[in-house]
């Protein structure tokens, strides 16, 4: 298995931050997009292939562009934030160092595909021979919010089979820079308010689609509204929290990934004590 990693050369100070669409920051040096967290970018590539039981080979290629926290306040807080990033965004084990988590990420993505036999994978130069299936996993990890001592990373993954997109997902990870913890629902809302907020989500979904009833949503392909619940897959804007749902989670695949935003103002009565959302009011 070949492993390739290129860290863009120091001195190119190009920084382009796309908010919400998960395209991320393009830079080579630690930069501070909107707040005090300096970020950096590295790109990784790994590939392998294995035999198929019906004959031929399966070729797997993983490309990853990773925007990661590089500096925050001091060495200790930087290491805490990097550990959070490695644990949750890169899904690394507790015993894995941050550098190793970054270095091995593309390899971990490939390992998720597994193999149909116990033979060792082929070297790259043999992978194109008799290839039946070719899978590409393109991952882009970027910053989508960085203010009010909150930083949000988005992991966008696009999977292609023989050149055609078969799946695209976005997963969001929100970190409280004051307490150095992952921001989840209990850090935002009173538990008894979840049902009321879910009703707001459904109402806003209807408004976004310019309909007035659930039946009309069904006609648009939202066939699984029972799955419309509060989840931890959300991100912040300057005055909203936006929930993102996977393809087929609420609606048919052609609808894509529904996103439903609620203003912080509309949820003030549901906030728990010391809610992170109070910073956005």
């Amino acid at each position: 298995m070949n492993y390739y990693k290129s860290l863009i050369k120091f001195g190119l100070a190009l920084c382009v931050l796309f908010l919400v669409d998960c395209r991320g920051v393009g830079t080579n040096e630690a930069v501070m997009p909107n707040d005090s967290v300096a970020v950096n970018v590295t790109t990784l590539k790994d590939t392998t292939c294995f035999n198929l039981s019906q004959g031929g080979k399966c070729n797997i290629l993983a490309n990853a562009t990773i925007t990661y926290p590089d500096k925050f306040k001091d060495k200790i807080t930087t290491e805490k934030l990097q550990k959070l990033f490695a644990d949750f965004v890169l899904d690394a084990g507790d015993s894995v160092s941050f550098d190793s988590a970054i270095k091995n990420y593309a390899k971990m993505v490939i390992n998720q595909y597994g193999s149909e036999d116990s033979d060792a994978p082929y070297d790259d130069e043999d992978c194109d021979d008799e290839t039946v299936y070719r899978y590409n996993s393109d991952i882009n990890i970027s910053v989508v919010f960085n203010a009010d001592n909150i930083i949000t990373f988005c992991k966008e993954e696009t999977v292609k089979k023989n050149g055609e997109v078969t799946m695209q997902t976005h997963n969001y990870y929100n970190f409280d820079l004051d307490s150095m913890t992952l921001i989840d629902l209990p850090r935002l809302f009173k538990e008894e308010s979840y049902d009321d907020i879910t009703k707001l989500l459904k109402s806003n979904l209807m408004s976004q689609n310019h309909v007035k009833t659930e039946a009309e949503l069904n006609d648009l392909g939202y066939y699984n509204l029972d799955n419309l619940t509060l989840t931890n897959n959300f991100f912040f804007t300057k005055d909203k929290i936006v929930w993102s749902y996977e393809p087929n989670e609420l609606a048919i695949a052609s609808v894509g990934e529904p996103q439903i935003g609620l203003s912080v103002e509309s949820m003030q009565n549901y906030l728990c004590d010391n809610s992170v959302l109070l910073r956005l009011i």
Side-chain angles (χ1 to χ4, degrees):
M1 179 184 293
N2 273 348
Y3 173 78
Y4 165 78
K5 173 181 178 182
S6 63
L7 180 62
I8 306 171
K9 295 181 179 179
F10 289 99
L12 304 172
L14 178 62
C15 174
V16 182
L17 178 62
F18 294 92
L19 295 180
V20 178
D21 67 357
C22 207
R23 294 182 182 175
V25 180
T27 183
N28 65 298
E29 294 184 343
V31 295
M32 298 182 183
N34 290 326
D35 211 331
S36 55
V37 177
V39 298
N40 212 326
V41 177
T42 188
T43 57
L44 308 172
K45 178 180 177 182
D46 205 351
T47 185
T48 190
C49 62
F50 54 82
N51 284 330
L52 297 170
S53 57
Q54 71 269 30
K57 299 174 183 176
C58 181
N59 188 321
I60 302 169
L61 173 64
N63 292 296
T65 300
I66 303 173
T67 301
Y68 61 91
D70 191 57
K71 294 179 182 177
F72 180 58
K73 290 185 178 178
D74 53 39
K75 186 175 184 293
I76 293 176
T77 52
T78 296
E79 289 176 350
K80 288 181 179 179
L81 181 55
Q82 288 180 339
K83 185 180 187 308
L84 280 174
F85 183 87
D87 287 349
F88 289 101
V89 184
L90 301 182
D91 197 23
D94 290 339
S95 61
V96 177
S97 70
F98 181 70
D99 288 344
S100 295
I102 290 282
K103 180 179 178 181
N104 294 326
Y105 183 71
K107 183 180 295 184
M108 186 195 73
V109 171
I110 279 185
N111 289 340
Q112 292 175 349
Y113 285 83
S115 172
E116 292 196 357
D117 56 34
S118 59
D119 294 337
Y122 288 84
D123 291 331
D124 281 353
E125 57 266 23
D126 299 323
C127 280
D128 286 331
D129 298 338
E130 303 177 16
T131 295
V132 176
Y133 298 116
R134 188 183 304 274
Y135 288 95
N136 291 73
S137 180
D138 296 317
I139 297 170
N140 188 17
I141 297 173
S142 62
V143 177
V144 298
F145 188 79
N146 189 10
D148 300 306
N149 277 336
I150 300 167
I151 188 166
T152 300
F153 292 91
C154 173
K155 182 192 295 181
E156 176 189 72
E157 182 173 10
T158 302
V159 177
K160 296 178 182 179
K161 179 181 177 181
N162 294 337
E164 294 187 7
V165 175
T166 59
M167 181 185 71
Q168 186 174 60
T169 59
H170 296 80
N171 289 286
Y172 297 89
Y173 307 85
N174 304 278
F175 300 123
D176 181 356
L177 300 177
D178 285 342
S179 61
M180 283 297 164
T181 56
L182 181 74
I183 301 172
D184 55 10
L185 293 175
R187 291 183 54 78
L188 300 176
F189 308 110
K190 303 171 186 175
E191 186 175 355
E192 60 269 24
S193 70
Y194 288 6
D195 288 343
D196 289 335
I197 300 172
T198 298
K199 291 176 183 177
L200 285 179
L201 284 173
K202 187 174 293 185
S203 177
N204 272 28
L205 180 62
M206 287 190 284
S207 296
Q208 289 174 195
N209 286 277
H210 309 291
V211 300
K212 296 182 179 180
T213 66
E214 289 188 30
E216 290 177 292
L217 280 177
N218 289 335
D219 291 340
L220 295 177
Y222 289 89
Y223 66 94
N224 208 1
L225 290 174
D226 289 342
N227 283 345
L228 180 53
T229 59
L230 294 186
T231 72
N232 285 311
N233 197 34
F234 58 80
F235 60 90
F236 299 97
T237 71
K238 64 180 180 180
D239 58 359
K240 290 183 180 181
I241 180 171
V242 182
W243 277 268
S244 182
Y245 297 87
E246 295 183 0
N248 292 309
E249 188 173 4
L250 301 181
I252 58 177
S254 60
V255 172
E257 296 173 272
Q259 291 189 341
I260 312 171
L262 296 179
S263 68
V264 176
E265 184 178 0
S266 70
M267 295 182 288
Q268 286 194 55
N269 293 334
Y270 308 129
L271 304 185
C272 63
D273 295 338
N274 300 317
S275 172
V276 174
L277 285 175
L278 291 170
R279 302 176 197 171
L280 306 182
I281 296 176

